[in-house]
Amino acid sequence: MGSLKIENVKKSFGKVDVLKGIDLEVRDGEFVVFVGPSGCGKSTLLRIIAGLEDLTAGDVKIDGEKVDHVPPAKRGIAMVFQTYALYPHLSVRNNMGLGLKQAGTPAAEIEKRIAASSAMLSLEPYLERRPAELSGGQRQRVAIGRALVREPKLFLFDEPLSNLDAALRVNTRLEIAQLHRRLKATMIYVTHDQVEAMTLADKIVVLNGGRIEQVGGPMELYNSPANEFVAGFIGSPKMNFIDGARLGETAKTIGVRPEHLTVDAKNGTWKGTVIHAEHLGADTNLYIDTEKAGLLTVRIFGVYNAEPGATVYATPEPGKTYRFGSDGKVVA
Ligand SMILES: Nc1ncnc2c1ncn2[C@@H]1O[C@H](COP(=O)(O)OP(=O)(O)O)[C@@H](O)[C@H]1O
Ligand SMILES: [Mg+2]
């Protein structure tokens, strides 16, 4: 079992309020991602759950029990960090087993768990190597293996893929998703990357400035963002925001995603001039300076040839625009 309840958690460092009242429930077996810009308090919240940081107010409950007096090692939690923090002089096998050995686990049990975990992570060929003899991706798998052997109730990941190159990030992301499906363990994963959040999470928690902006499934946040912040943070390229007054609208801001705009050389809603075309192969990002709506990004499926300076018209898909009030919240 590994359920978690966070009640009105606040954290201040001196006079700086870093977490301003966080309420959150994580069900047993859920994959929850904390996402938000750098400095919004993600790591602090994760460290509070792990017991590595005291809280200023509020409660953390694991499986219904308050854990404020439970030391980190006794919380049934394992944490994986961005920096792998492996012991350079120890083999993969000993890096994975060290924590268990220190906790007094019998040698046979340690061997059994290393065998199971290294099989799951395809690390068997590397068990006798030292970290320096591994690639970055393999090192991060060892760090995950070190967490796995502890058989925790709760896995905490703090930006574990940030040090890997793009291709490895995708591979390792896939491995973590499969691992979660196989183990059915509760996982909380911190990232500043909304793509990681969208691809991994059952439930995404969007944090900003020490507060939760919205909690929901990936498609829920994409389709029904509660406010301008979430609308702009989830989705790539970012949602276009147009000053409502320019369009004669009562809403402060009108939002439309780049993939919900179509372009045509002759007809459409907003006439504009092509500024730049980004050819990504599978699709094209077109930047258009429009008379009425300002600068717009349009995402077109496939190849679209347009020279800078060409006149085009952008048209929003019906029913795919968002309206935000002066407080940034969605309005009907
Ligand atoms: N030990 C600390 N002392 C003072 N300020 C801290 C400490 N740890 C974090 N902070 C501040 O708290 C804020 C949130 O930090 P952090 O949780 O690491 O953000 P994130 O992980 O979302 O990037 C930042 O402004 C950071 O400077
Ligand atoms: Mg952090």
Side-chain angles (χ1 to χ4, degrees):
M1 290 295 287
S3 71
L4 177 74
K5 195 163 185 185
I6 295 173
E7 293 172 333
N8 195 27
V9 161
K10 295 181 181 171
K11 175 68 181 177
S12 307
F13 290 107
K15 283 189 182 146
V16 184
D17 299 331
V18 170
L19 297 176
K20 298 166 184 168
I22 302 285
D23 288 286
L24 182 70
E25 274 192 65
V26 177
R27 291 196 309 274
D28 183 46
E30 217 171 10
F31 199 130
V32 174
V33 176
F34 297 169
V35 70
S38 181
C40 71
K42 306 179 295 293
S43 294
T44 303
L45 185 56
L46 207 65
R47 291 170 56 80
I48 285 173
I49 295 167
L52 299 173
E53 202 83 71
D54 291 331
L55 35 75
T56 307
D59 280 319
V60 174
K61 292 177 182 167
I62 296 176
D63 290 336
E65 304 277 344
K66 272 172 73 164
V67 292
D68 46 348
H69 294 300
V70 183
K74 298 262 189 265
R75 290 190 181 193
I77 281 174
M79 197 155 166
V80 178
F81 300 92
Q82 175 179 346
T83 50
Y84 328 117
L86 301 175
Y87 292 101
H89 59 287
L90 294 182
S91 65
V92 167
R93 180 190 299 283
N94 290 337
N95 264 290
M96 284 172 75
L98 185 66
L100 293 177
K101 196 172 164 193
Q102 286 168 343
T105 310
E109 176 65 20
I110 297 177
E111 276 316 304
K112 203 176 99 196
R113 292 197 200 178
I114 290 175
S117 301
S118 56
M120 212 177 282
L121 293 163
S122 311
L123 282 171
E124 288 148 315
Y126 312 109
L127 281 173
E128 309 315 324
R129 288 201 198 172
R130 290 184 184 188
E133 300 165 309
L134 301 174
S135 69
Q138 290 164 342
R139 280 179 220 168
Q140 190 52 290
R141 293 219 299 276
V142 176
I144 294 169
R146 188 175 47 185
L148 266 184
V149 295
R150 296 182 50 201
E151 300 182 347
K153 290 195 257 192
L154 204 58
F155 285 87
L156 306 180
F157 295 91
D158 195 351
E159 310 235 12
L161 309 186
S162 297
N163 283 357
L164 306 180
D165 63 41
L168 262 177
R169 269 209 299 276
V170 174
N171 276 344
T172 315
R173 195 171 82 199
L174 199 62
E175 279 172 12
I176 292 174
Q178 289 173 309
L179 197 63
H180 176 252
R181 206 165 301 139
R182 238 176 286 154
L183 295 175
K184 297 180 175 64
T186 313
M187 295 186 172
I188 300 179
Y189 186 105
V190 161
T191 179
H192 64 273
D193 179 353
Q194 60 94 21
V195 175
E196 271 176 36
M198 293 294 277
T199 51
L200 285 169
D202 296 319
K203 185 157 94 187
I204 299 177
V205 178
V206 182
L207 285 163
N208 181 32
R211 289 182 211 281
I212 294 180
E213 294 276 357
Q214 194 173 358
V215 178
M219 282 306 117
E220 197 181 340
L221 297 192
Y222 177 83
N223 290 321
S224 312
N227 54 51
E228 217 174 309
F229 180 84
V230 175
F233 197 81
I234 301 288
S236 176
K238 194 171 140 62
M239 184 183 281
N240 295 291
F241 293 116
I242 308 160
D243 182 354
R246 286 183 78 156
L247 303 177
E249 293 265 1
T250 51
K252 173 94 165 46
T253 306
I254 304 298
V256 55
R257 295 195 185 279
E259 56 272 40
H260 296 148
L261 284 166
T262 53
V263 285
D264 186 87
K266 296 216 164 59
N267 299 294
T269 307
W270 295 316
K271 185 183 183 185
T273 308
V274 173
I275 301 291
H276 183 63
E278 286 175 347
H279 296 286
L280 302 172
D283 41 35
T284 308
N285 293 334
L286 211 58
Y287 299 88
I288 306 171
D289 191 14
T290 67
E291 288 164 10
K292 269 204 102 173
L295 184 67
L296 297 177
T297 309
V298 182
R299 182 177 182 179
I300 304 160
F301 185 71
V303 179
Y304 186 89
N305 289 312
E307 290 300 317
T311 297
V312 290
Y313 294 81
T315 304
E317 270 181 48
K320 298 281 180 136
T321 52
Y322 296 84
R323 300 158 61 78
F324 304 98
S326 52
D327 58 359
K329 291 193 178 134
V330 157
V331 290

